[in-house]
Amino acid sequence: MCFLMLVVFLSGCMVMNTADLLSLPRLLPDHADILKIVNDVTSGSNWTTTSPQSGTNRSPVQLVDLYQDGIPEAIVFLSNSIDVQLQVMILSKTGESKYTPLTSYTLNAVSFERVEYADVNGDGILEMIIGQSFGAKSNYTATVYTLVNDEPVAVLTNAPYTSLYVHDLNGDEKGELLLLNHDETGNNAYAELFGLNPGDSAMQPLGRAPLSAGVRAPSKIVGGRLNEEMPAVIVDGYSTAAQGMVSDVLILTEEGLVNISFDAIYNFSYTGRARMVHAMDVDFDGFLEIPKAVPMPQPQKVDVEPDTYLFWFAYDKSADIFRHAVTYQAHADPWYFLFPEEWVGRVYARHSESGGLKTTTFSMEYNGYQYDLLSIHVYVSDTRLAEADNKELLTQSQGRYFYVTIPGRSKLSGLPDKYWVNFGEVKRRFAILDSNGDNRRLAELAAAAPLFPDD
């Protein structure tokens, strides 16, 4: 079992012929060295390889350049279910040498909840943030290890959390550790921030701030900036108290950690909304915005189902909030469109579906006439839609093809030019939400992978 788990991680991308299918994958020399060390440790013992349960680092063996010298260390995660212990083993190498054990340390816990790597003291070496689980759901503790003379030194031990996040909140180019906690009801929730200075033997508390009541577990945590001068972490979650999604906006000030969106009277953030949409940098300007659903206008000439814009609010340098952008976000598909300011309060959405093709048309009434300004089409299929009806392909993502139709000038005669959009503008305003809920503009998607490399 140990061998099979590690082969999946270590084998990498291989080109196999028919004979290869009948034999085990051939390992690179480095990988073989790591596998031998792991087998020596686990063979005939109660130790087995294991994986962190959450986060983005979930492999039983992880290659991480802890010393930032261009040569990655191999981090091995082990579990001993008999003695209820965990072990982290670090293997290292220099130049052309083989991987050899550098150090290891043991923890008393049932499983690894997660592991993160970050330089939290500015010494150029990545610290290891280890989350341990004790079997009960949401009952976790964090221990932070820094390497001193190649030996692990704990600078934070068994700090309780329900969620954790690392982000530079004070602009000193070091990561601070944010720990979130709540009681069993989801009330009395709070965030606590810890930092580490060079030479310190322990992480120092930098402040505590309340979080919205009723959020049992955040659905997303995102770090970034509210503006040029304000690093922030935004914690999104569904609040039973607010009856909707809320965003807790955390910044670090001279007074400590502050939740600038928190309303102490109601005990939750004033950023509540019925739409389950996360905070993000919606217009790709480098700063985070928070959405609020606002009803679209209802036309007089046609009947349409009520729908909503999303008004996106940003914070200025005084922590005052203002409307920054407006989007339409699809309800059942991962896309949104940034509205021109001239459309806001005038344009409404109409929907249709036929033969696997879902269409959203943006329309407006002007001087007693209805004008269709733009149609976004989503085609769920393994094959491209046959080119017809002037549908232009925007992108392919998550098993869907996205097209656009823009009416010709003759169909928009009588409508002022300021309401028109062209294909280039649509491409700049259209964005995709990936499987993690992160937004991607078309240029970014095209750079990552051509749509149809064989065309």
Side-chain angles (χ1 to χ4, degrees):
M1 179 62 70
C2 173
F3 178 82
L4 292 177
M5 288 179 65
L6 292 177
V7 161
V8 170
F9 168 76
L10 295 171
S11 58
C13 296
M14 297 183 177
V15 178
M16 291 187 176
N17 57 32
T18 305
D20 291 329
L21 298 176
L22 302 178
S23 61
L24 290 172
R26 293 182 295 274
L27 299 181
L28 296 175
D30 281 350
H31 297 168
D33 294 340
I34 296 170
L35 181 60
K36 182 179 184 305
I37 294 170
V38 173
N39 279 336
D40 288 343
V41 172
T42 57
S43 179
S45 74
N46 295 326
W47 291 102
T48 60
T49 54
T50 188
S51 300
Q53 299 171 338
S54 304
T56 56
N57 304 310
R58 299 195 187 189
S59 298
V61 179
Q62 300 174 17
L63 296 178
V64 181
D65 188 1
L66 297 176
Y67 287 97
Q68 302 291 281
D69 58 2
I71 303 176
E73 282 64 48
I75 319 297
V76 183
F77 298 93
L78 301 165
S79 172
N80 183 334
S81 60
I82 303 300
D83 298 326
V84 193
Q85 287 184 324
L86 304 173
Q87 183 180 166
V88 178
M89 183 168 59
I90 303 176
L91 314 178
S92 67
K93 61 175 290 188
T94 57
E96 299 300 321
S97 67
K98 295 182 178 182
Y99 274 100
T100 59
L102 176 68
T103 187
S104 64
Y105 50 92
T106 302
L107 305 93
N108 295 312
V110 173
S111 61
F112 293 102
E113 194 274 325
R114 69 178 60 228
V115 57
E116 302 290 345
Y117 307 92
D119 184 2
V120 300
N121 63 358
D123 65 354
I125 300 174
L126 300 184
E127 277 67 50
M128 297 185 63
I129 302 163
I130 305 294
Q132 303 109 236
S133 172
F134 298 91
K137 187 176 181 181
S138 299
N139 182 20
Y140 313 131
T141 67
T143 299
V144 180
Y145 292 94
T146 186
L147 290 175
V148 179
N149 298 324
D150 295 339
E151 290 298 323
V153 176
V155 292
L156 184 69
T157 304
N158 292 333
Y161 74 90
T162 55
S163 297
L164 65 79
Y165 192 79
V166 181
H167 187 65
D168 179 10
L169 266 174
N170 58 10
D172 63 356
E173 299 184 355
K174 299 182 299 183
E176 283 76 51
L177 176 61
L178 185 72
L179 300 180
L180 309 184
N181 280 285
H182 58 68
D183 60 21
E184 286 305 311
T185 66
N187 297 314
N188 304 311
Y190 63 92
E192 194 166 14
L193 191 68
F194 294 87
L196 183 68
N197 293 317
D200 285 352
S201 60
M203 298 190 79
Q204 302 299 318
L206 302 179
R208 177 186 289 201
L211 298 173
S212 292
V215 179
R216 288 297 306 277
S219 56
K220 189 169 186 181
I221 305 175
V222 59
R225 287 182 171 269
L226 302 180
N227 51 63
E228 294 91 341
E229 298 181 1
M230 298 177 68
V233 171
I234 298 180
V235 180
D236 281 344
Y238 181 84
S239 169
T240 55
Q243 293 297 308
M245 180 77 76
V246 295
S247 293
D248 287 303
V249 184
L250 301 168
I251 66 170
L252 188 61
T253 70
E254 293 180 355
E255 288 74 36
L257 190 66
V258 178
N259 185 347
I260 59 175
S261 67
F262 188 74
D263 189 324
I265 295 176
Y266 295 101
N267 202 28
F268 54 77
S269 172
Y270 58 72
T271 59
R273 63 257 187 198
R275 291 287 302 273
M276 299 294 104
V277 180
H278 293 293
M280 67 180 78
D281 176 10
V282 71
D283 60 349
F284 305 99
D285 66 348
F287 305 121
L288 297 171
E289 294 89 27
I290 298 170
K292 184 176 180 61
V294 177
M296 279 184 151
Q298 288 292 106
Q300 298 179 357
K301 299 292 184 180
V302 295
D303 292 327
V304 298
E305 290 292 325
D307 211 333
T308 57
Y309 303 107
L310 289 176
F311 281 13
W312 292 82
F313 291 88
Y315 285 88
D316 64 20
K317 297 176 183 179
S318 299
D320 292 326
I321 197 165
F322 64 96
R323 196 195 84 186
H324 178 71
V326 178
T327 65
Y328 178 82
Q329 183 160 327
H331 291 262
D333 289 297
W335 66 269
Y336 68 84
F337 185 75
L338 281 157
F339 264 34
E341 185 62 31
E342 292 81 6
W343 286 21
V344 180
R346 287 180 171 270
V347 171
Y348 51 89
R350 297 185 293 114
H351 306 280
S352 63
E353 183 172 358
S354 177
L357 183 69
K358 293 185 285 187
T359 298
T360 298
T361 299
F362 299 118
S363 307
M364 66 176 290
E365 292 180 343
Y366 187 81
N367 286 343
Y369 295 94
Q370 176 180 284
Y371 293 90
D372 294 338
L373 307 176
L374 168 71
S375 293
I376 303 292
H377 311 277
V378 182
Y379 187 50
V380 182
S381 173
D382 293 333
T383 58
R384 292 172 63 176
L385 187 68
E387 295 184 5
D389 302 325
N390 298 317
K391 294 181 178 65
E392 295 194 63
L393 181 65
L394 287 170
T395 190
Q396 178 191 16
S397 178
Q398 302 167 66
R400 300 169 174 86
Y401 292 87
F402 299 85
Y403 298 84
V404 60
T405 299
I406 302 174
R409 300 181 69 89
S410 61
K411 294 185 178 181
L412 297 177
S413 61
L415 187 67
D417 291 358
K418 64 181 180 180
Y419 299 116
W420 299 10
V421 292
N422 57 40
F423 185 62
E425 186 175 4
V426 171
K427 290 174 67 176
R428 290 191 298 272
R429 293 179 175 276
F430 185 84
I432 290 290
L433 298 171
D434 65 19
S435 57
N436 295 319
D438 298 322
N439 54 332
R440 300 283 183 262
R441 48 185 158 187
L442 295 186
E444 185 179 355
L445 290 170
L451 274 180
F452 306 104
D454 297 332
D455 283 2

